[in-house]
Amino acid sequence: MIRHDITEPIRLEADQIYHLACPASPIHYQYNPVKTIKTNVLGTLNMLGLAKRVKARFLLASTSEVYGDPDVHPQPEEYRGNVNTIGIRSCYDEGKRVAETLAFDYHRQNGVEIRVARIFNTYGPRMLENDGRVVSNFIVQALKGTPLTVYGDGSQTRSFCYVSDLVEGLMRLMNGDFIGPINLGNPGEYTILELAQKIQEMINPDAETQFKPLPEDDPKQRQPDISRAKHYLNWEPTIPLDKGLRLTIDDFSSRLL
Ligand code: UDP
Ligand code: UDP
């Protein structure tokens, strides 16, 4: 284990690089947006320079955020997105878009073996209590008996993938022949209100709901088209939301007690 900030160059040996570094929760990536951009631009550049030098295969953890607030639904990889260049989410969205560009240019210019995954909302055991994303927020709130904070009217949708399904998809992508980009996510789509209700039913039917302002540029809908992942990786999620939530709730219950 080496602890290192990838915005600084590093020399080491590797066969495969899973470039996963970057906070993914809006409250965390917006806490220091300039650092988020550095991580996605300088960090990705350094990891690609490293991959080029040691001839390692490089996998980029890109994101559904490259589609921004999508006006195509569900989102296929060909869709080029609807991203605000100057909003509070831009450090992450545009950072990942540049990271994809860097990966493809190192591939074309230097022959670096790249793999690009566009990861949709993912959740599961061992998320931090203060992660700030919706699944862990609702579970922690219901377990603690505080109101579930629904942003906006809760009609916006997300599609939630269980962590072990995602990891399987990333490993298949790394070890397969298709360079991507490729969507990895669970096509099961729910409104945020539906998610709140599910978690209330599973933890505490009397838990209250509290409506809060919708953050700026919050995407209205999101669902992956996973045709490519099915075709090229023979992959699709196996854990439905109810089962994944149960496993995640059990994990949080044991830690919060
Ligand atoms: N880099 C790194 N580790 C390496 C090789 C390169 O951190 O093993 C960094 C390097 O410092 C540079 C970036 O990756 O900032 C891009 O490297 P590349 O060789 O493509 O560009 P150059 O160094 O020629 O500008
Ligand atoms: N959200 C919410 N309550 C929370 C946290 C998030 O209603 O406590 C909403 C948020 O506004 C968004 C959705 O849930 O519409 C997913 O938010 P998250 O931060 O998990 O991920 P995003 O997909 O927005 O990056």
Side-chain angles (χ1 to χ4, degrees), residues 8-12 45-47 49-50 52-53 106 110:
E8 307 286 344
I10 185 170
R11 287 189 161 245
L12 40 75
L45 184 75
N46 287 334
M47 291 302 100
L50 171 64
K52 180 178 90 175
R53 185 178 64 83
Y106 268 84
N110 300 117

Side-chain angles (χ1 to χ4, degrees), residues 99-216:
E100 289 198 10
T101 308
L102 280 169
F104 274 82
D105 280 335
Y106 268 84
H107 174 63
R108 282 186 288 257
Q109 189 176 333
N110 300 117
V112 173
E113 282 192 39
I114 59 160
R115 301 288 183 269
V116 174
R118 292 187 180 150
I119 300 171
F120 284 64
N121 296 62
T122 302
Y123 70 99
R126 299 173 62 186
M127 288 181 87
L128 295 176
E129 200 182 321
N130 69 353
D131 177 277
R133 278 173 289 182
V134 68
V135 174
S136 49
N137 270 11
F138 286 175
I139 290 175
V140 169
Q141 289 160 347
L143 287 171
K144 288 188 167 170
T146 58
L148 275 59
T149 51
V150 173
Y151 302 162
D153 63 4
S155 65
Q156 70 273 31
T157 68
R158 293 294 186 274
S159 304
F160 302 100
C161 186
Y162 189 69
V163 60
S164 60
D165 280 334
L166 177 75
V167 170
E168 177 66 28
L170 290 174
M171 288 168 64
R172 284 190 195 201
L173 176 62
M174 176 64 103
N175 295 302
D177 295 325
F178 184 65
I179 70 171
I182 195 160
N183 289 338
L184 293 178
N186 190 322
E189 182 183 5
Y190 299 86
T191 67
I192 296 307
L193 261 189
E194 284 170 338
L195 178 73
Q197 280 155 6
K198 264 185 188 299
I199 292 173
Q200 283 166 328
E201 281 160 23
M202 294 173 85
I203 299 177
N204 175 9
D206 297 327
E208 285 174 31
T209 305
Q210 184 182 27
F211 290 90
K212 296 209 159 187
L214 188 68
E216 203 181 301

